[in-house]
Amino acid sequence: MHAPISVIIPARDEAETIAQVVATVQDLPCVAEVVVIDNGSTDATAACAAAAGARVIAEARPGMGHAVRNGVAAAAHDWVMKVDADLGRFETGLFARMAEARAPGVGLVKGAWNDPHDPMPMTRLLVAPALRLMFPGLGELRAPNSGIYLFDRSRIAHQRLTPDYAVDLDVMLRVHAAGARVEEVDIGRIVHDARNPDHYSRMAQEILAFFLSRQPLGLLDEVVVIAADEAAAAQHVGGVIAGKLIAGARVSVYLNEGGATLDAVFGGFPTYRRAPFAEAAGHAPHANAARLRIIRAPGLDRAVPGACVPVDVWETGGAADVPVPLATGVALKRAALERLGLPTDVPPRETFRVVAEG
């Protein structure tokens, strides 16, 4: 039997359609609750949703991402289905296909729909080409930016989702970077409200900015840190660890001793893992990894054999070949250093020497 589902519906001024959407999805198999996120509505959206049986929460900050992030956090169950609030006619029974497509290793199920009045310009002209170039493992999806999908929030740092229209893509990329499968099922014909060109223009700008921001992050470069203890890891690699985890990439840390402090700082990220140094030789990259990057302290020369992807090896200390800006990782690195009783003056970058390139 599949786990129960929380349905979240971000809504802003959708009083005309929200009651129908709520009433319809709450009758789906496996749906345990429906949560409507009132995203600053000026009409009766919240009242209509509540009357239809939804739990209503408020998110005053404008932006689809803020609403989704709030709704995912408020959901009672890890499997979360996100549904649009402006749906007109749709084939309810086909939505159940998303729940049925869950299987071991699947982290997200996209609902591929068709609307005879929507030529899907965003998908054809922007999203699909960008995915084929940057994330080819997702390049064959028919509806990659569909706003109707089901995912396992326990696999991603959902508190870090982007606050704008690109949030649906962010969920998908994070699930992919965590090593889980993205499936797609046909949910039939759906009629949305008509969109004007200005709407598409704003969406395109936010989505393009999102893709450009993800390009330098190397989401599919899995990082392995090998160090004598957590002090060495925090001092030399703490910023890289933090930045990768915030972006959604997977990071494994192998230590000779200790690790509780790193766990306290980074343990809330689903893509973080720590293990004893002796287990490093058996490390295997996740299913979607494009590259394995091993970062080790000097003198710790145990490599990770048998990788099925290209492997880079970096070392800390000594002459530096690669400077890595800390950017978003500064705060978490400082938190780790403070817990360890070490100086918290953090330079703007961490530097590494390239030992081998795959």
Side-chain angles (χ1 to χ4, degrees), residues 7 218 225 263:
V7 175
V225 175
D263 294 350

Side-chain angles (χ1 to χ4, degrees), residues 251-268:
V251 178
S252 298
V253 180
Y254 295 97
L255 302 176
N256 261 340
E257 60 182 50
T261 295
L262 294 187
D263 294 350
V265 175
F266 301 123

Side-chain angles (χ1 to χ4, degrees), residues 46-288:
C48 292
R55 174 160 60 97
V56 180
I57 61 176
E59 173 51 75
R61 292 172 295 178
M64 176 68 78
H66 286 304
V68 169
R69 192 161 57 191
N70 197 353
V72 172
H77 305 284
D78 279 338
W79 279 98
V80 177
M81 182 185 292
K82 188 252 183 182
V83 175
D84 294 337
D86 64 343
L87 302 183
R89 296 182 300 278
F90 57 101
E91 300 173 46
T92 312
L94 296 182
F95 275 46
R97 291 181 176 179
M98 290 189 285
E100 294 165 359
R102 289 179 291 176
V106 173
L108 182 145
V109 183
K110 278 280 189 178
W113 49 268
N114 66 84
D115 181 342
H117 304 296
D118 186 347
M120 300 179 71
M122 202 67 58
T123 298
R124 292 186 298 103
L125 302 178
L126 176 56
V127 176
L131 288 174
R132 285 194 289 268
L133 290 170
M134 296 171 60
F135 302 95
L138 300 171
E140 299 304 315
L141 295 173
R142 289 194 300 118
N145 55 321
S146 168
I148 302 172
Y149 52 88
L150 174 65
F151 74 104
D152 181 358
R153 70 172 178 187
S154 71
R155 293 179 179 269
I156 67 170
H158 56 84
Q159 305 89 339
R160 304 279 181 167
L161 289 169
T162 187
D164 54 32
Y165 271 114
V167 66
D168 299 331
L169 292 169
D170 197 9
V171 170
M172 181 174 68
L173 294 189
R174 287 174 182 273
V175 169
H176 188 57
R181 294 207 315 275
V182 175
E183 298 287 351
E184 188 174 54
V185 297
D186 186 0
I187 56 172
R189 178 180 174 180
I190 294 176
V191 178
H192 289 82
D193 289 343
R195 304 295 194 187
N196 62 46
D198 287 342
H199 171 85
Y200 282 122
S201 179
R202 291 192 299 273
M203 284 182 63
Q205 182 169 324
E206 292 184 354
I207 289 172
L208 179 57
F210 171 76
F211 276 126
L212 291 175
S213 72
R214 292 308 183 264
Q215 176 67 13
L217 296 178
L219 294 181
L220 300 184
D221 289 346
E222 182 176 345
V223 172
V224 171
V225 175
I226 302 175
D229 54 40
E230 58 188 348
Q235 285 179 303
H236 299 295
V237 199
V240 169
I241 294 172
K244 284 288 187 179
L245 292 173
I246 290 169
R250 192 166 87 159
V251 178
S252 298
V253 180
Y254 295 97
L255 302 176
N256 261 340
E257 60 182 50
T261 295
L262 294 187
D263 294 350
V265 175
F266 301 123
F269 290 91
T271 52
Y272 165 80
R273 173 177 178 266
R274 180 182 62 83
F277 177 80
E279 296 181 16
H283 182 89
H286 69 70
N288 301 324

Side-chain angles (χ1 to χ4, degrees), residues 32-43:
E33 65 167 351
V34 178
V35 181
V36 170
I37 308 93
D38 182 19
N39 196 199
S41 297
T42 59
D43 64 6

